[in-house]
Amino acid sequence: MALSPCGSNSFDSGLEIKTRSVEQTLIPLVSQITTLINHKDKPRKSEKTLRAIQRVGQAVNMAVGRFVTVGEAIAIENQELKEEMSFACYEARRAGDTIAHLTDVVSLEQPESDGRATIFSDKAGMVKAARMLLSSVTKVLVLADRIVIKQIIASRNKVLTTLEQLEKVSSFQEFVQIFSQFGNEMVEFAHLTGDRQNDLKDEKKKSRMAAARAVLEKCTMMLLTASKTCLRHPDCDSARINKDGVFQRMRLALEQVIEIVTEARPNGEGDILPVSIYMGIREFKNQLEGLREGLCLLSKESLTALLEVILEHTEDFTDSAYTSHEHRERILGLSRQARLELEQLIAVWMQAQNPKAAEATEEMELAILKTCQCMNELKKELHNAAAELTADLLKYHADHIVLKALKVSGGEGSLEALAKYTCELSEQKEQLVETCRLLRHISGTEPLEITCIHAEDTFQVIGPQIISAAQTLALHPSSKIAKENLDVFCEAWESQLNDMSILLREIIDLFEGRRGEKRTYLSLPRPGKLSANLKTIKPVKLDSEEQTAIAKVGLELRLLTSDLDSESEKWEDQEHEIARQGQGMSSMAYSMYLFTRGEGLLKTTQDLFHQAEVFAEEGFKLFSSLQAFSTQLGDDEKAIFAAETDKLVALCQQLQITARMPVQGKNSTFLKVDSSIQNTKSILTVVVYILPLCNKLIKKYKCEQSSLGSPQSWRETPLQTPVHEDGLSGKNGNGFGVKSLEHHMANLTFLESK
């Protein structure tokens, strides 16, 4: 994004903004500058107008001063950015002084008689100062964002160094010590990359980051058991192969994260996805639509070639041994029909280029419609084929019979039986890999395509790793660690199958025009999940009786997430802070609902409690946003609002206490699960009430609010944030960055509209 966040060409900073935090921080500043420049230049200015203009100018200048102080402190802490940051701060300060000077027009008696330049007499100077201010502030924020990238790279380097040490250890004692350090470093890396993932604007990058972080999450436990197995059986080739595969996969995932945050691709490669049929059909139909605007813009050869590329990709379906005969025949029939329709369209098109062909336009329109209709039918048939195949395959493998047989044959040391089930797992892997490729063709969006590719890669890698783990167990059937290692890899396989079912539902919802179910949220392990002595908490899952008991409250939670989604969709500004936070909480609550059904990524009660704690933290963030929002309300509205926000913070505190409370025993654990779900439900009830109230107030003030005689939207009306003189006191180097700058940027939004 090279232009300003408001989408205006008037403020071109020349910098691409890649994160939401930088963009959202700039929006209030753009609003204030727009207010100053676009004020109505009436012949007679009222005292109220002049005072308002001066207040804006002074507030901007004061806030810029504090903002620049933070930027200069960042420059001191980061010498490599010092020159660029210092110059940007100097430009920002100069622009702030200019704006303050031009808006110093409070005197009604002699506003311009002394010959001074003011906002009224030198509007061009005001525009120039505004440009400079926006450009320099953007530069400071983007430079500060580099520090976040630098932190992620430094964290990755620490993880890589420890990873290399782990790979070379030869004793359990040494492994325990280094793995403890590795666990802490992975937690730090997880939180840094998680924040970055949520902050990215590009949905493709977010999906790639999510895929890489998912690999790291699963591989952390695999690395633990695979390394322990290799240490226990140092002469076992299958154990070594198993361990090497985990280390290699972790390195690739770490590298992918760095490629995303630095936008560096090996050998200059571009971030290009393989061509999918859906994307091809979309492009083909766009080209056909273009024929209506200009008949000579395309060649018949280019249209034919584009269709042939699409039909060539349909061979992935027709050549697949897993596609049913009925679907194969319909796909082939529609492919033939598409060629015929295009031939007819090209014939009409050639006739239409003759100026004497009066009726050609109507025939052309009909031919375009028939060709597009044929492509839509082909698209639907491909979707049905892939969706039915995936659903049948997931249902067939739901009982994990092959995995159970591998565990049994490995535990019995039966190499013959193991060989049989190894072949069956390899065949199952090929089925799943091919199904993922077909799903990618019909996924419909690039983020879903990336998820399909991730699923395909996961099955490709984990399949052979399960086999090597099973071979190790078969060679050492009495080894507890070899058995534990096989269990971990099998759980990863089962987890990926579950993720694939969620992916299928998202694709179907998208195709049918419904808003897809939210993807569940689950961050990487937090400190404490991997303890120094490697004795992890025994995972606890709800049994069937407990799941039945919790099902009712789980369903109520699901209904509340639907209500919250419906309210969120009513917001005109989907990127509004409060709306986005509400959507995020709905997503987390949905993953907790899936837990009550025994589905989703939350597998154990420990996962649920971790999710509940994160949910409570998001509730506190929403409370902070609501508090800032309430400063703009009238007394009556503020009283109603305060009552609801007080409920919210109290319920979040209660959930946080519940999630952190240690319990022992089956009954106590179940009661904690029930309390966590009930508290989450209560919080959502409050949020479902607050969100439409906020939306209503925004619409109300959007109509009433005006600044300096010109309408201004509620989003553009800034939150009044008090200015603290000790803004930098007590801050260390770690406090500097985009978030610190966001706090000081809030001071740029001071504008009284009374």
Side-chain angles (χ1 to χ4, degrees):
M1 172 178 167
L3 301 178
S4 70
C6 65
S8 168
N9 293 340
S10 301
F11 303 113
D12 186 354
S13 68
L15 296 166
E16 184 181 2
I17 298 171
K18 298 165 186 173
T19 58
R20 293 182 185 276
S21 56
V22 172
E23 184 178 68
Q24 294 299 316
T25 302
L26 282 171
I27 286 173
L29 176 59
V30 174
S31 171
Q32 294 296 64
I33 290 175
T34 304
T35 298
L36 286 174
I37 292 177
N38 294 341
H39 74 277
K40 290 186 177 179
D41 200 1
K42 299 177 181 177
R44 179 171 179 78
K45 296 90 179 177
S46 68
E47 180 77 28
K48 180 180 178 182
T49 299
L50 294 173
R51 289 188 182 282
I53 289 173
Q54 187 181 48
R55 281 197 300 270
V56 173
Q58 289 175 346
V60 167
N61 191 34
M62 290 174 61
V64 166
R66 288 173 171 78
F67 176 81
V68 165
T69 304
V70 177
E72 289 169 344
I74 292 174
I76 294 171
E77 293 288 329
N78 299 270
Q79 289 296 313
E80 71 276 14
L81 300 178
K82 186 173 183 180
E83 185 176 347
E84 286 183 275
M85 184 70 83
S86 298
F87 180 73
C89 289
Y90 167 75
E91 292 284 285
R93 196 186 294 276
R94 191 155 66 95
D97 290 341
T98 302
I99 289 173
H101 176 76
L102 291 173
T103 53
D104 186 16
V105 291
V106 74
S107 174
L108 270 174
E109 290 75 17
Q110 296 179 326
E112 299 177 40
S113 60
D114 57 0
R116 290 186 303 105
T118 70
I119 191 171
F120 300 112
S121 64
D122 188 13
K123 195 156 189 177
M126 187 67 197
V127 171
K128 183 179 178 181
R131 280 178 176 275
M132 183 186 294
L133 179 60
L134 182 62
S135 177
S136 54
V137 167
T138 303
K139 181 74 171 177
V140 171
L141 289 168
V142 171
L143 287 172
D145 189 57
R146 286 191 202 168
I147 297 169
V148 177
I149 296 173
K150 178 183 171 185
Q151 290 172 340
I152 293 174
I153 293 172
S155 178
R156 187 283 306 258
N157 291 341
K158 286 196 296 184
V159 169
L160 267 181
T161 301
T162 311
L163 197 64
E164 289 176 3
Q165 294 174 356
L166 277 174
E167 200 169 13
K168 297 173 183 176
V169 296
S170 56
S171 69
F172 272 106
Q173 185 178 2
E174 184 183 6
F175 176 79
V176 168
Q177 292 173 346
I178 297 175
F179 191 83
S180 175
Q181 176 187 341
F182 175 77
N184 291 330
E185 290 170 352
M186 278 298 295
V187 167
E188 177 192 357
F189 186 72
H191 289 305
L192 286 172
T193 54
D195 290 342
R196 188 67 180 180
Q197 177 185 324
N198 292 331
D199 201 22
L200 287 170
K201 289 171 58 185
D202 190 306
E203 291 299 325
K204 281 202 308 184
K205 290 178 183 175
K206 289 181 80 165
S207 296
R208 291 183 64 225
M209 180 76 88
R213 293 180 72 245
V215 170
L216 292 171
E217 177 182 2
K218 291 175 181 176
C219 281
T220 300
M221 182 54 73
M222 293 177 188
L223 184 144
L224 170 61
T225 56
S227 297
K228 287 167 66 178
T229 303
C230 210
L231 287 170
R232 179 66 181 84
H233 309 289
D235 298 326
C236 182
D237 288 340
S238 57
R240 179 182 50 77
I241 291 170
N242 184 258
K243 186 190 86 166
D244 289 348
V246 177
F247 276 87
Q248 176 65 12
R249 196 164 182 231
M250 288 201 78
R251 286 194 179 93
L252 290 173
L254 289 167
E255 191 59 35
Q256 182 175 340
V257 169
I258 300 305
E259 286 174 14
I260 295 165
V261 298
T262 62
E263 298 191 321
R265 300 287 291 169
N267 304 319
E269 297 174 6
D271 186 14
I272 301 174
L273 293 174
V275 178
S276 71
I277 294 175
Y278 264 30
M279 295 302 178
I281 290 177
R282 183 180 302 170
E283 175 62 22
F284 180 70
K285 288 170 67 178
N286 287 339
Q287 297 285 357
L288 294 182
E289 293 293 334
L291 294 178
R292 293 191 174 103
E293 301 172 8
L295 299 179
C296 301
L297 296 177
L298 299 167
S299 67
K300 62 180 182 180
E301 290 79 11
S302 64
L303 278 176
T304 304
L306 192 53
L307 178 63
E308 288 305 318
V309 169
I310 295 169
L311 298 183
E312 183 180 342
H313 284 302
T314 62
E315 293 174 6
D316 290 346
F317 288 79
T318 56
D319 292 349
S320 172
Y322 310 114
T323 302
S324 70
H325 176 72
E326 292 78 10
H327 281 305
R328 183 179 291 107
E329 288 301 310
R330 283 197 289 267
I331 292 169
L332 290 171
L334 287 167
S335 298
R336 289 191 293 270
Q337 184 183 342
R339 286 191 177 97
L340 292 173
E341 296 292 357
L342 182 59
E343 287 176 8
Q344 179 64 26
L345 171 58
I346 290 173
V348 175
W349 178 22
M350 300 306 290
Q351 292 175 9
Q353 295 187 52
N354 185 349
K356 297 180 181 179
E359 299 179 359
T361 303
E362 188 175 333
E363 292 181 20
M364 181 80 174
E365 180 68 23
L366 181 60
I368 290 174
L369 290 174
K370 289 176 70 176
T371 307
C372 287
Q373 178 63 28
C374 180
M375 298 308 293
N376 287 337
E377 290 176 7
L378 176 61
K379 177 179 170 181
K380 182 177 180 181
E381 188 59 40
L382 294 170
H383 171 86
N384 291 340
E388 288 177 19
L389 171 62
T390 307
D392 290 344
L393 195 60
L394 290 171
K395 184 177 180 181
Y396 181 74
H397 295 304
D399 293 333
H400 310 297
I401 295 173
V402 176
L403 295 182
K404 292 174 182 176
L406 275 172
K407 292 178 184 179
V408 171
S409 56
E412 293 175 349
S414 174
L415 296 176
E416 185 178 345
L418 183 67
K420 173 190 173 185
Y421 293 118
T422 292
C423 290
E424 290 187 16
L425 183 67
S426 296
E427 183 180 343
Q428 182 179 332
K429 182 205 75 175
E430 291 303 321
Q431 283 181 321
L432 290 166
V433 165
E434 188 164 332
T435 303
C436 289
R437 289 173 186 161
L438 299 184
L439 275 180
R440 181 180 63 78
H441 277 306
I442 60 114
S443 56
T445 67
E446 288 183 327
L448 287 176
E449 280 189 41
I450 290 168
T451 307
C452 291
I453 293 170
H454 167 66
E456 178 186 339
D457 292 342
T458 301
F459 287 124
Q460 283 278 31
V461 172
I462 295 183
Q465 287 182 315
I466 290 175
I467 292 170
S468 60
Q471 289 170 342
T472 303
L473 179 59
L475 293 171
H476 307 279
S478 61
S479 173
K480 291 183 180 179
I481 183 55
K483 181 180 182 302
E484 181 187 356
N485 187 46
L486 178 58
D487 287 341
V488 166
F489 282 95
C490 288
E491 284 175 10
W493 182 274
E494 293 170 12
S495 174
Q496 189 56 53
L497 284 173
N498 188 65
D499 291 349
M500 194 172 175
S501 68
I502 295 172
L503 172 62
L504 175 62
R505 186 171 63 238
E506 289 180 332
I507 291 171
I508 292 173
D509 285 344
L510 180 66
F511 181 81
E512 294 178 353
R514 300 194 304 266
R515 185 182 178 189
E517 298 290 6
K518 296 183 184 303
R519 300 183 64 180
T520 50
Y521 171 96
L522 182 64
S523 65
L524 292 177
R526 292 193 163 196
K529 285 200 83 174
L530 298 172
S531 59
N533 59 7
L534 307 183
K535 292 182 179 178
T536 55
I537 300 172
K538 179 71 175 176
V540 179
K541 296 185 179 181
L542 299 183
D543 59 29
S544 57
E545 185 179 340
E546 289 171 332
Q547 275 190 351
T548 303
I550 206 76
K552 182 177 181 292
V553 68
L555 181 59
E556 292 170 352
L557 189 63
R558 172 69 180 96
L559 294 173
L560 281 169
T561 63
S562 296
D563 291 342
L564 188 51
D565 289 343
S566 298
E567 293 300 336
S568 297
E569 288 173 358
K570 294 175 184 176
W571 284 60
E572 293 178 4
D573 179 11
Q574 289 290 309
E575 292 302 313
H576 194 288
E577 183 94 15
I578 293 173
R580 284 199 298 113
Q581 287 171 333
Q583 289 166 359
M585 292 180 74
S586 176
S587 178
M588 295 181 202
Y590 183 78
S591 68
M592 297 169 78
Y593 153 70
L594 288 179
F595 174 84
T596 65
R597 296 183 53 183
E599 301 174 4
L601 297 179
L602 305 179
K603 300 297 183 186
T604 67
T605 53
Q606 204 63 28
D607 293 337
L608 177 73
F609 300 147
H610 172 217
Q611 180 75 99
E613 193 172 345
V614 174
F615 181 83
E617 290 171 3
E618 286 300 308
F620 288 129
K621 291 179 185 177
L622 177 60
F623 171 72
S624 298
S625 299
L626 292 170
Q627 273 194 316
F629 179 86
S630 68
T631 60
Q632 302 171 82
L633 303 178
D635 291 340
D636 294 340
E637 294 162 340
K638 193 178 290 186
I640 298 172
F641 213 70
E644 295 302 320
T645 53
D646 287 346
K647 284 184 198 174
L648 176 65
V649 74
L651 289 167
C652 289
Q653 288 171 346
Q654 186 177 345
L655 178 59
Q656 194 175 59
I657 292 169
T658 301
R660 292 176 177 176
M661 179 177 61
V663 292
Q664 289 185 339
K666 186 176 180 181
N667 289 337
S668 298
T669 301
F670 177 72
L671 288 174
K672 182 176 176 179
V673 169
D674 185 56
S675 296
S676 298
I677 300 292
Q678 292 282 7
N679 287 342
T680 302
K681 191 182 78 168
S682 300
I683 291 170
L684 274 194
T685 303
V686 175
V687 176
V688 167
Y689 176 80
I690 287 176
L691 236 63
L693 179 60
C694 290
N695 195 20
K696 179 182 176 183
L697 290 170
I698 287 173
K699 289 179 179 178
K700 174 185 173 184
Y701 280 91
K702 196 172 183 180
C703 297
E704 297 176 355
Q705 186 78 10
S706 64
S707 293
L708 308 180
S710 62
Q712 188 179 18
S713 71
W714 178 269
R715 180 178 180 178
E716 292 171 337
T717 305
L719 304 179
Q720 296 182 12
T721 306
V723 175
H724 299 290
E725 296 296 333
D726 58 346
L728 290 175
S729 62
K731 298 287 184 182
N732 57 26
N734 294 332
F736 297 126
V738 171
K739 288 188 177 180
S740 177
L741 287 168
E742 283 175 355
H743 170 74
H744 290 272
M745 274 297 298
N747 296 323
L748 288 169
T749 69
F750 181 81
L751 171 63
E752 291 183 5
S753 56
K754 296 181 181 178

